[in-house]
């Protein structure tokens, strides 16, 4: 089915191959000579042909970030890889290769035309992100099941489809099946699908289509609910209260509590557990959860206000700097006009010195503005840091208060469990227990120390779970605050300052070079 080059050594995509391909496809004659002399920047290349190169593995294309068209047909490629960074691709040809699986296309969300003709593909899959796909050729592969057609229903912009020479094309009613389940297709296997054909196909498969539509609607509803829950959980995690709006913490206390799981079968414990987790412990967790969300909103509002202040200060400072540069440029134009007509060398030298003085004054003014902004932003950051520290400290303090309530509830529960265990032990020792209990629980009632240790061990596990949850929340929010402040200081403000100072110095150097490079020869102009 696919082309095989058994007698030819596979090629490797290297710098030499890429450079040659770009030069071969680039501008010709004089423009081509200039391109070769000045060098080729792969980042500027929009189209690239690498067909008939006997390429086995796709590699080395990461620099072609602007590429919109890539031709890799008629090679011996076995795996789609090495193109995830080509996010601007619109057209991709991988026909006549040895590819078995559709993969590695997730990031190519701009792709409109995809050709996989003449490969070894048996399933249409892993293309969910290609929502702009309009032309898809996967003919002459190994597609046997018509269910592959249903996968293509998600591509609402798909108009041209080539499935020719796949095994399922020999099935009776193949063309009608495609017309029925892909009504948005206009051209199938190079032939127009007219409305009459589509209408007849729909009528023939109406029951199946309506069932599929119903299933798709249900699937979309499930997906929407999953997405909603995922976003909700993400919010809860940002608020550091995930899984506190329910019995999750309580259930986790028993999940790793082997003794507690046995003790649940003691007479009267089932009623106690209903009161303890649902009416007491879960209520405390719910209060923590709601409080955490409220505090998260306060922190988010504080962060938003901080960045508004930062942007406001930067904008104001930038405008003052631009005014200073504009005023200088206006003076510069006037000074250059005057210097072009001065014939006296001494007078000209004085004028050049005056110009250089103006440059120095501009540098002083721009650097002064930058220092002013640094001081201003430092004060804003310090105030923000103090406010956030207060918010986080208040959150932690109140959270720990809720955790104290949770421990108190667990202690009260423990006392009741101990009471039930003591009563049950007496009944067991006197053979007065009315109901049968499991053998593993009976083993705990051999004497008072054994059952007491079991109840205490269960209690310790529960307290440890509460402690760990508290430590986890406190650690995560402190780390978040520390990382945020460090990022603002080091990665954003320091880098911004360095970049701004570099910009100012480059401007000043350019202005000085301008006057140095001028040919001021008394009255001859420049």
């Amino acid at each position: 089915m696919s082309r095989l080059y058994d007698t030819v050594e596979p090629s490797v995509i290297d710098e030499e191959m890429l450079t040659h391909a770009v030069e071969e496809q680039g501008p010709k004659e004089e423009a081509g000579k200039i391109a070769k002399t000045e060098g080729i920047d792969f980042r500027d290349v929009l189209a690239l042909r690498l067909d008939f190169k006997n390429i086995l593995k796709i590699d080395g294309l990461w620099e072609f970030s602007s590429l919109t068209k890539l031709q890799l047909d008629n090679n011996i490629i076995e795996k789609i890889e090495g193109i995830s960074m080509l996010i601007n691709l619109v057209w991709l040809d991988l026909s006549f290769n040895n590819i078995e699986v559709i993969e590695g296309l997730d990031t190519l969300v701009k792709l409109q035309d995809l050709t996989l003709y003449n490969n070894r593909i048996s399933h249409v899959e892993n293309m969910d992100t290609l929502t702009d796909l309009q032309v898809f050729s996967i003919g002459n592969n190994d597609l046997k099941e018509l269910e592959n057609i249903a996968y293509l229903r998600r591509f609402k912009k798909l108009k041209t489809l080539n499935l020719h020479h796949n095994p399922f094309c020999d099935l009776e009613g193949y063309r009608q099946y495609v017309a029925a389940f892909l009504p948005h297709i206009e051209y199938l296997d190079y032939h127009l699908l007219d409305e009459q054909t589509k209408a007849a196909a729909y009528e023939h498969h109406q029951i199946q289509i309506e069932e599929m539509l119903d299933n798709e609607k249900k699937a979309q509803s499930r997906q929407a609910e999953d997405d909603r829950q995922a976003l909700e959980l993400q919010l809860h995690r940002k608020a550091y209260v995930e899984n506190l709006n329910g019995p999750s913490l309580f259930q986790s206390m028993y999940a790793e509590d082997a003794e507690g799981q046995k003790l649940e079968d003691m007479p009267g414990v089932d009623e106690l557990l209903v009161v303890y987790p649902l009416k007491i412990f879960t209520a405390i967790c719910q209060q923590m959860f709601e409080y955490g969300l409220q505090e998260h909103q306060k922190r988010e509002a504080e962060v938003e206000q901080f960045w508004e202040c930062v942007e406001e200060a930067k904008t104001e400072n930038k405008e003052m700097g631009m005014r200073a540069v504009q005023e200088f440029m206006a003076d510069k134009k006037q000074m250059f006009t005057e210097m072009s007509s001065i014939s006296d060398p001494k007078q000209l030298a004085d004028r050049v010195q005056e110009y250089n003085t103006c440059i120095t004054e501009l540098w002083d003014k721009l650097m002064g503005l930058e220092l002013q902004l640094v001081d201003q932003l430092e004060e804003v950051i310090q105030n923000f840091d103090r406010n956030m520290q207060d918010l986080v400290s208040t959150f932690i303090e109140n959270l720990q208060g809720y955790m104290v309530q949770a421990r108190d509830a667990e202690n009260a529960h423990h006392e009741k469990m101990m009471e039930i265990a003591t009563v049950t032990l007496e009944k067991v020792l006197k053979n007065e227990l009315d109901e049968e209990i499991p053998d593993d629980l009976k083993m705990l009632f051999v004497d008072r120390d054994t059952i007491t240790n079991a109840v205490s061990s269960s209690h310790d596990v529960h307290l440890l779970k509460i402690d760990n949850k508290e430590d986890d929340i406190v650690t995560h929010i402190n780390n978040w605050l520390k990382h945020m402040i460090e990022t603002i200081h080091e990665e954003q403000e320091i880098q911004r300052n360095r970049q701004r100072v570099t910009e100012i110095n480059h401007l000043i150097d350019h202005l000085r070079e301008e006057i140095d490079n001028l040919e001021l020869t008394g009255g001859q102009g420049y």
Side-chain angles (χ1 to χ4, degrees), residues 438-492:
D439 291 339
D440 57 352
L441 179 57
K442 282 182 182 179
M443 298 291 292
L444 300 179
F445 286 102
V446 294
D447 56 44
R448 183 174 298 277
D449 287 343
T450 302
I451 188 61
T452 299
N453 290 338
V455 175
S456 297
S457 175
S458 174
H459 178 51
D460 291 341
V461 170
H462 297 178
L463 289 178
L464 182 60
K465 274 289 180 182
I466 297 172
D467 291 345
N468 288 343
K469 185 65 176 178
E470 179 182 327
D471 291 342
D472 183 62
I473 294 173
V474 171
T475 299
H476 278 85
I477 194 169
N478 280 329
N479 287 343
W480 166 77
L481 179 58
K482 179 182 177 184
H483 174 72
M484 180 175 62
I485 298 300
E486 287 178 350
T487 300
I488 291 171
H489 270 293
E490 298 173 15
E491 296 182 13
Q492 296 190 12

Side-chain angles (χ1 to χ4, degrees), residues 4-28:
L4 296 174
Y5 295 79
D6 296 328
T7 59
V8 183
E9 190 70 22
S11 299
V12 177
I13 299 178
D14 55 19
E15 188 84 10
E16 183 179 353
M17 177 189 289
L18 294 173
T19 301
H20 178 71
V22 172
E23 290 177 348
E24 192 176 55
Q25 301 156 43
K28 306 302 180 184

